[in-house]
Amino acid sequence: MKRYAALTGTGAFVPERVLTNFDLEEMVDTSDEWIRRRTGIVERHIADDDIASSDLGIEAARAAIKMSGIDPLEIELIIASTITPDMFFPSTACVIQSRIEAMNAGAFDLAAACAGFSYALHVADGLIRSGAHRTILVVATETLSKIVDWTDRTTCVLFGDAAGAAILQTSEEPRGILSSYVAADGVAGDASVLGLPAGGSRFPATQETIQNRMHFIKMRGQEVFKIGVRVMAEAALIALEKAGLQPSDIDLFIPHQANTRIIEAVGDRLTIAHERIYINVDKYGNTSSATTIVALDAAIRAGQVGEGDKILLVSFGGGFTWAGTVIQL
Ligand code: ACO
């Protein structure tokens, strides 16, 4: 029997608190004009101090479960994509499992930075196609605000907090994930270009790592920008080819939401019309692996896409990692 991983529910959640570019003007030497022109970001949502990534992920998961109409006990596996887990262990996926009472599910975290949601779909697709699992919950949840250096204007203006979730279920119809592609380059993407140096086994937390501000995101933005445009376009074309499709077959293109200039450059390379490219980076900033699923959920709930429509997700992030997924609703 041929099996496909159908997307039967999506959900998203962002914390209430909004931090505008004007608020940032009060915190670091920046301006609303600089941030808008260089990134397209206008505002982002920030979690309160006592909120962790799992808290956002649980809300998104509940919304996805509700849309799909399943009982949480039907979930056989939970994959949580995050670079801001609640703690090293237990995994954020286990915390989510307990809170949504999905006690029949295995659970693990997946760390592929901004490409994590597409990486998780890749894993879920393989497990469903192989017959290993019938119902999988994928959650992408990030509180980047917790790992951003709020004194570093080159990074703190870029990020925000959000979560998205999807339920994938076995279907005999050819729908859901039509193709997926993942890639990485650990040479070009070493931690000096984009990473969070300390807190792991290389540099465990010490007075010195704290004084040197090594527990925050470091990024050489221009290098990341250049490779991002190239590999996102590449991932899109490979995912499309694997699905036997052309860019013109796609009803909605949802690229990783890091920067409108990157999004436009990728759209131009693919010759996808601007009106078919989803952009919400203005409202949320870069929420790492949550960006594409938050956008997809909003597009579905707004009726912008519906049954039969084909959607292309493409993302790129730390590692470097990049990935593309073609989904038919
Ligand atoms: N406000 C005002 N000025 C600033 C700010 C700021 N917030 N940040 C930097 N500047 C200054 C710089 O100091 C520099 O000044 P100088 O010319 O006097 O030296 C000037 O602005 C230009 O800086 P650049 O870094 O060259 O600016 P650029 O146009 O490259 O934009 C940006 C920077 C927005 C970070 C861009 O490079 C970018 O978007 N990169 C990609 C980021 C990305 O896609 N990340 C995705 C992965 S993230 C993840 O995986 C977690």
Side-chain angles (χ1 to χ4, degrees):
M1 183 184 86
K2 205 149 189 214
R3 300 179 195 86
Y4 298 88
L7 196 74
T8 59
T10 60
F13 184 78
V14 291
E16 216 172 289
R17 184 150 63 103
V18 172
L19 186 74
T20 66
N21 292 346
F22 296 106
D23 295 329
L24 282 161
E25 286 182 0
E26 309 293 313
M27 298 162 64
V28 287
D29 180 15
T30 191
S31 66
D32 172 61
E33 196 270 329
W34 190 97
I35 302 169
R36 275 181 202 242
R37 191 159 43 83
R38 301 281 178 141
T39 72
I41 300 167
V42 177
E43 59 188 31
R44 67 288 289 144
H45 289 247
I46 303 291
D48 289 340
D49 289 348
D50 62 343
I51 295 296
S53 290
S54 68
D55 298 315
L56 307 187
I58 286 156
E59 299 298 335
R62 285 188 177 135
I65 289 165
K66 190 167 173 204
M67 188 193 280
S68 75
I70 60 162
D71 187 307
L73 293 174
E74 290 174 49
I75 299 168
E76 296 171 12
L77 186 69
I78 300 171
I79 308 174
S81 160
T82 184
I83 51 164
T84 48
D86 290 17
M87 56 197 84
F88 267 136
F89 70 91
S91 68
T92 300
C94 281
V95 179
I96 292 172
Q97 186 235 28
S98 112
R99 295 269 302 280
I100 64 169
E101 297 179 30
M103 302 320 289
N104 294 322
F108 68 94
D109 285 0
L110 182 151
C114 300
F117 181 68
S118 275
Y119 260 74
L121 290 184
H122 186 72
V123 174
D125 184 44
L127 291 170
I128 285 178
R129 280 179 190 262
S130 74
H133 291 296
R134 294 186 56 81
T135 300
I136 299 180
L137 166 64
V138 171
V139 183
T141 185
E142 308 280 10
T143 46
L144 279 303
S145 65
K146 312 278 184 173
I147 57 166
V148 153
D149 184 346
W150 289 105
T151 66
D152 174 11
R153 70 175 184 174
T154 68
T155 51
C156 77
V157 303
L158 303 174
F159 298 102
D161 301 338
I167 298 285
L168 294 142
Q169 292 189 279
T170 306
S171 166
E172 286 170 28
E173 307 295 321
R175 66 190 188 110
I177 301 176
L178 300 186
S179 74
S180 74
Y181 167 72
V182 297
D185 184 343
V187 177
D190 77 64
S192 66
V193 182
L194 175 56
L196 191 158
S201 56
R202 179 69 61 197
F203 298 110
T206 61
Q207 296 281 7
E208 202 186 341
T209 61
I210 291 169
Q211 268 159 16
N212 293 333
R213 308 189 80 72
M214 290 168 71
H215 296 270
F216 297 118
I217 293 180
K218 311 284 176 206
M219 179 169 76
R220 299 212 296 264
Q222 280 197 3
E223 285 167 57
V224 176
F225 192 107
K226 276 185 213 142
I227 188 162
V229 172
R230 180 172 62 77
V231 300
M232 288 222 297
E234 210 174 274
L237 291 173
I238 294 172
L240 285 168
E241 194 190 340
K242 286 176 95 173
L245 299 172
Q246 303 287 330
S248 55
D249 297 320
I250 292 300
D251 297 291
L252 188 64
F253 173 41
I254 304 181
H256 176 48
Q257 307 284 312
N259 183 316
T260 42
R261 290 187 295 146
I262 298 181
I263 293 171
E264 281 160 9
V266 175
D268 289 348
R269 282 189 184 205
L270 298 174
T271 60
I272 291 186
H274 282 202
E275 57 273 16
R276 284 190 290 126
I277 304 177
Y278 198 94
I279 298 186
N280 66 5
V281 70
D282 51 327
K283 286 196 294 188
Y284 302 122
N286 179 349
T287 60
S288 189
S289 67
T291 70
T292 52
I293 177 60
V294 167
L296 176 58
D297 179 66
I300 290 172
R301 286 176 195 267
Q304 196 175 341
V305 283
E307 207 175 316
D309 283 342
K310 296 186 191 77
I311 297 146
L312 170 63
L313 309 183
V314 174
S315 44
F316 161 74
F320 292 120
T321 52
W322 59 98
T325 318
V326 179
I327 296 170
Q328 183 163 20
L329 292 180

